[in-house]
Amino acid sequence: MTGAPPPYATLLAFTRYVGRTGPRKATFVSGLRRQRESGSGFNPHGTLVKALKADIQFRTGGAQLAAAVDLVRPRWRPLYEALTPGALAYLGSLGDPAAVGVAQTRDALGVLGGLSIKVNPHLGLRYDDGRAEAVRLHFDPDPPADEALLATLHLMSRHMHQVLPHATPVVVDVRRGEIHRPDPATKPEEVERWLTGEAAAFAAMWTAVA
């Protein structure tokens, strides 16, 4: 279709897509396509991410996260009140503040099954013992679906050489303060085949939207 935007998804959008089944997949893709064409969309979590990074970088023990609840617009305050306890729990799980700092990450644009996917962690961490992590934060009221977790960790691993070389991908379920890391028993080649099929279906649905 002339002038149609090419198939594209952020990591968040694609992993939400793979967590859906049946007709809900097509409805979801159609909504994303219309959103991109209209240029709409707003991320209410930016202030929380900045506060978390600041608490880690400046070792302020959660003061920045606590302050963020009062800094956001009143309409977002209930959201921040729901997210902050889990974010503080995650901050505490990092251990000695002097032994961890914020690392610079880069976004990556990968192509899978004809679909361009933007792989964008929320933050990077580097520990004094040499370990590094690239972290995606999950903010939704419901826990991440198993399929979404598997896809997120795989795609981050797939592009880690661009995102944060030699780092481990991590997904943090902020509301519950739960941390998810790759399962050593997972077979990357099988996940790659599965996601290639999912991405090809996504691209076909995107193109088919009138």
Side-chain angles (χ1 to χ4, degrees):
M1 192 168 70
T2 305
Y8 167 83
T10 62
L11 182 60
L12 174 62
F14 182 65
T15 54
R16 280 179 170 170
Y17 163 81
V18 300
R20 284 166 166 76
T21 57
R24 295 174 65 229
K25 284 182 178 287
T27 301
F28 183 74
V29 173
S30 176
L32 284 176
R33 165 77 181 269
R34 289 195 298 270
Q35 185 182 74
R36 184 178 178 195
E37 289 176 332
S38 68
S40 62
F42 172 71
N43 174 19
H45 306 114
T47 299
L48 186 140
V49 175
K50 290 179 182 178
L52 176 59
K53 286 182 178 179
D55 272 324
I56 296 170
Q57 183 175 357
F58 301 112
R59 299 164 185 166
T60 42
Q64 305 296 327
L65 283 168
V69 177
D70 295 321
L71 289 175
V72 294
R73 294 179 181 177
R75 66 174 296 191
W76 299 118
R77 199 159 293 155
L79 172 66
Y80 274 59
E81 289 172 346
L83 292 171
T84 299
L88 289 169
Y90 170 63
L91 180 65
S93 76
L94 299 178
D96 181 0
V100 60
V102 174
Q104 179 66 47
T105 61
R106 292 180 173 83
D107 294 348
L109 188 64
V111 179
L112 189 66
L115 175 67
S116 296
I117 303 174
K118 182 181 181 181
V119 179
N120 50 337
H122 286 103
L123 71 149
L125 299 177
R126 198 173 299 281
Y127 296 84
D128 281 359
D129 61 8
R131 291 179 297 124
E133 293 178 339
V135 182
R136 278 287 306 182
L137 304 173
H138 175 86
F139 300 108
D140 293 354
D142 294 326
D146 291 342
E147 296 87 352
L149 276 175
L150 185 59
T152 301
L153 293 170
H154 177 82
L155 289 170
M156 289 178 67
S157 293
R158 189 179 191 257
H159 297 281
M160 196 59 75
H161 62 287
Q162 296 170 272
V163 171
L164 182 59
H166 311 298
T168 299
V170 174
V171 174
V172 178
D173 182 356
V174 178
R175 288 179 187 254
R176 283 150 286 273
E178 295 179 354
I179 303 169
H180 301 273
R181 295 184 171 86
D183 182 350
T186 299
K187 297 180 179 179
E189 63 279 4
E190 293 183 0
V191 180
E192 182 79 7
R193 284 195 295 271
W194 164 58
L195 289 179
T196 298
E198 292 283 354
F202 185 112
M205 293 176 193
W206 180 283
T207 304
V209 173

